Amino acid sequence: MSRVWQCILAFAASVTAGGALVDTGTLKSVLEVPLGSRLGQCRAVPVQLGHDSRPAFLAAYCADAHVDPWSEMFFYPTDTLKLALIDAGGKILWRLDLGRGVVPGMWFCPFFAFDLDGDGTDEVYFVNNTDADHPLGHRGRCLERLDARTGKSTGRWPWPAKHSEQSMSHAYRNFILGGHARDEAVLVTAQGTYESMHLQAWTRDMKPRWERPIAANTPGARGSHMCPISDLDGDGVQEVMWGERCIELDKGKELFCADRDAYRGHSDVVQPFTDPKTGQWLLYTCRESDGKAKPRVAVFDAKGSRVWGDVDEGHMDMGWVARLGDGGAPVAMAIRIGSKGAGPGGTTRTGVHEFVFNAVTGEKLDLGFSVYRTLPVDLDGDGLHELVRTTDGDGLEVIDRKGKRLADLGAGGQVAMACKLLDLPGEQLLVAYPDGTLRVWADPKAKETDAARARFAHPLYRANRRLLGTGYNLNVLGGL
């Protein structure tokens, strides 16, 4: 065991209640943080507290499950959303209760840790509501900025109420994201997913940089539940994939819209990935709406031209790209569903049908195991992915790329992060458990290959790792 591992395990054991860390045999829980309350939801992002600081992360949590704004999924929460900043030793540096005015759901309250001012320390941005008596109101809604070191507010700006007279499902689809135009940081706020959509960019001193409205009748795809950051043309100006539209961050210019004249729906999955043989960027999409449009699963090149497509009908609800093939070849999966529901008990799906493809060629594959409710993660640092999977009994397990079970992570756990989090080889899993415990799982035998180190150091890996508190971006790192 490395000296780093010995130090971390010894320290974590000293701060964990009971003094004992969980050992599954293959993975170890290297950090345990009791939050002191039940957990029904948890999102988290890495946070940089200075140029030479130890790793830290911000968790947003609540006793209720995620509250969705669609009226058929919305429910009245019983708890409030809290923020907690936690360092690499498991110490909670500060907490903040957002109160009754903030509905505990990712579309009501996205959050984003980002060093916009360039001082080496992240700021925390989130959508707040200062009117506690009107949690669905728009007048008190604002973009709030916190000092990540203290949790104190350092600024508030009105949140654009672009859809205040529309249905709840349209009115509360909020995003906060960011990237770089060469060496210049750019913060982006956005509203909308299904019809009209609006993006605003901000300078380091929170002055408007550009604004891009996309009207409901504009040709081309709508938004996605994901918002990956890319640099498909390699010019050093990063882009946001807003659905199947590629929008560069410097001026807000649309570089392309894939299948502009053939698809006007909403894509649940939009994920950039690379072909390891050529190094070229590709874009994987899984489509939900505009049911008459074909295909439902598609891959495009870096200029938005379709490379391949498959599946002629249905609501494609889940998907990812991961390095599961020999030599790190990218494999894509898609899940088609018949129906979907959500409420206090969480999310349910019926009529599940799985599809697996060679992500580069579109050839259909059979992996020999179910990929439903899986998430890619490179725990051993070999440049290939393992998968963390939620089982039918709400257990959580880790399997290798051949389907062999590697670890049982216990019942009821929800993955809040699957990325490089601590100064340890490989990626780690942050899992939230119903009893209020956060655990970081890692592989004590992990050894990083050159390919893995290059991946973790890539600017787009760091850029997309920031997105785990906004939208459904848990799987966004799989293609990078």
Side-chain angles (χ1 to χ4, degrees):
M1 182 181 295
S2 72
R3 182 176 180 83
V4 172
W5 263 96
Q6 291 172 347
C7 293
I8 286 183
L9 289 174
F11 182 82
S14 71
V15 299
T16 300
L21 292 171
V22 178
D23 183 353
T24 67
T26 302
L27 301 181
K28 290 184 182 292
S29 119
V30 298
L31 199 65
E32 298 189 5
V33 182
L35 292 175
S37 62
R38 300 276 308 168
L39 291 180
Q41 63 169 281
C42 182
R43 292 171 282 150
V45 293
V47 176
Q48 180 175 303
L49 297 179
H51 289 295
D52 299 318
S53 64
R54 300 177 67 194
F57 62 94
L58 180 70
Y61 62 95
C62 175
D64 296 292
H66 161 69
V67 181
D68 191 274
W70 184 35
S71 58
E72 300 301 321
M73 293 184 178
F74 180 86
F75 63 93
Y76 291 109
T78 63
D79 193 18
T80 55
L81 192 66
K82 290 95 173 168
L83 303 179
L85 197 286
I86 301 165
D87 70 11
K91 182 180 179 181
I92 298 175
L93 302 183
W94 55 262
R95 295 191 205 230
L96 181 64
D97 189 327
L98 301 188
R100 296 185 298 117
V102 175
V103 179
M106 67 180 65
W107 306 119
F108 293 95
C109 182
F111 65 95
F112 187 63
F114 190 48
D115 182 14
L116 182 61
D117 61 14
D119 67 352
T121 299
D122 286 342
E123 306 89 54
V124 174
Y125 299 88
F126 70 100
V127 178
N128 197 4
N129 181 14
T130 59
D131 185 353
D133 293 331
H134 300 97
L136 298 179
H138 292 274
R139 294 177 182 174
R141 213 163 290 271
C142 62
L143 175 67
E144 182 138 2
R145 184 181 64 196
L146 305 179
D147 184 329
R149 294 163 296 191
T150 65
K152 302 298 184 183
S153 178
T154 59
R156 284 178 178 168
W157 298 266
W159 185 258
K162 299 294 186 179
H163 304 92
S164 60
E165 301 303 319
Q166 297 185 21
S167 73
M168 282 179 53
S169 188
H170 293 82
Y172 303 103
R173 298 288 172 176
N174 299 315
F175 295 81
I176 308 174
L177 55 119
H180 288 81
R182 298 183 175 89
D183 295 328
E184 192 172 359
V186 181
L187 182 72
V188 177
T189 53
Q191 306 82 34
T193 297
Y194 302 115
E195 292 186 2
S196 63
M197 302 171 290
H198 305 265
L199 292 84
Q200 309 89 28
W202 306 89
T203 65
R204 60 183 296 165
D205 54 357
M206 291 304 295
K207 302 296 184 183
R209 182 183 179 113
W210 52 260
E211 183 169 357
R212 184 165 192 86
I214 303 171
N217 61 357
T218 300
R222 302 298 89 195
S224 173
H225 293 318
M226 300 177 67
C227 51
I229 300 298
S230 60
D231 185 9
L232 300 182
D233 57 10
D235 68 351
V237 176
Q238 293 177 347
E239 310 108 17
V240 56
M241 290 306 310
W242 189 255
E244 298 181 14
R245 300 173 192 271
C246 183
I247 299 173
E248 56 86 18
L249 295 182
D250 187 18
K251 305 295 185 182
K253 178 183 177 182
E254 182 182 296
L255 302 184
F256 67 79
C257 179
D259 278 356
R260 181 188 302 274
D261 298 322
Y263 182 61
R264 298 188 61 141
H266 148 72
S267 301
D268 266 352
V269 175
V270 176
Q271 186 170 6
F273 70 99
T274 55
D275 178 350
K277 291 184 178 180
T278 66
Q280 297 299 306
W281 282 102
L282 298 164
L283 181 68
Y284 176 63
T285 67
C286 299
R287 295 165 165 176
E288 174 185 333
S289 57
D290 192 6
K292 294 182 180 180
K294 303 175 184 179
R296 311 304 293 166
V297 177
V299 164
F300 302 91
D301 67 17
K303 294 183 178 180
S305 297
R306 195 193 302 168
V307 176
W308 63 264
D310 207 320
V311 187
D312 288 340
E313 60 183 6
H315 172 176
M316 313 308 295
D317 185 63
M318 306 167 76
W320 45 246
V321 176
R323 305 290 177 183
L324 296 184
D326 294 339
V331 171
M333 80 84 165
I335 301 294
R336 183 172 65 196
I337 63 170
S339 65
K340 183 177 180 179
T347 301
T348 58
R349 296 174 176 87
T350 64
V352 172
H353 192 116
E354 303 180 23
F355 300 87
V356 181
F357 306 93
N358 177 312
V360 175
T361 67
E363 175 190 0
K364 287 186 176 178
L365 304 176
D366 181 0
L367 298 181
F369 59 89
S370 173
V371 292
Y372 180 50
R373 296 202 295 179
T374 58
L375 182 69
V377 58
D378 181 13
L379 290 161
D380 60 9
D382 66 353
L384 303 174
H385 282 112
E386 296 79 48
L387 297 173
V388 56
R389 177 168 64 183
T390 302
T391 64
D392 289 341
D394 284 332
L396 199 63
E397 64 181 7
V398 175
I399 59 176
D400 69 13
R401 64 192 183 99
K402 302 296 185 181
K404 178 183 176 182
R405 193 184 202 197
L406 300 177
D408 177 359
L409 304 186
Q414 302 178 38
V415 178
M417 279 195 288
C419 64
K420 185 77 166 178
L421 175 58
L422 300 178
D423 289 331
L424 294 171
E427 293 182 313
Q428 294 85 44
L429 290 169
L430 175 67
V431 180
Y433 290 88
D435 67 356
T437 302
L438 299 181
R439 288 193 177 99
V440 176
W441 294 94
D443 183 347
K445 297 181 179 179
K447 294 181 179 180
E448 288 180 3
T449 63
D450 290 343
R453 281 191 287 270
R455 175 174 176 253
F456 301 147
H458 198 286
L460 290 177
Y461 184 90
R462 297 196 298 271
N464 283 280
R465 194 178 63 160
R466 300 187 189 103
L467 298 174
L468 304 183
T470 187
Y472 291 143
N473 287 299
L474 262 181
N475 62 354
V476 72
L477 296 172
L480 302 176

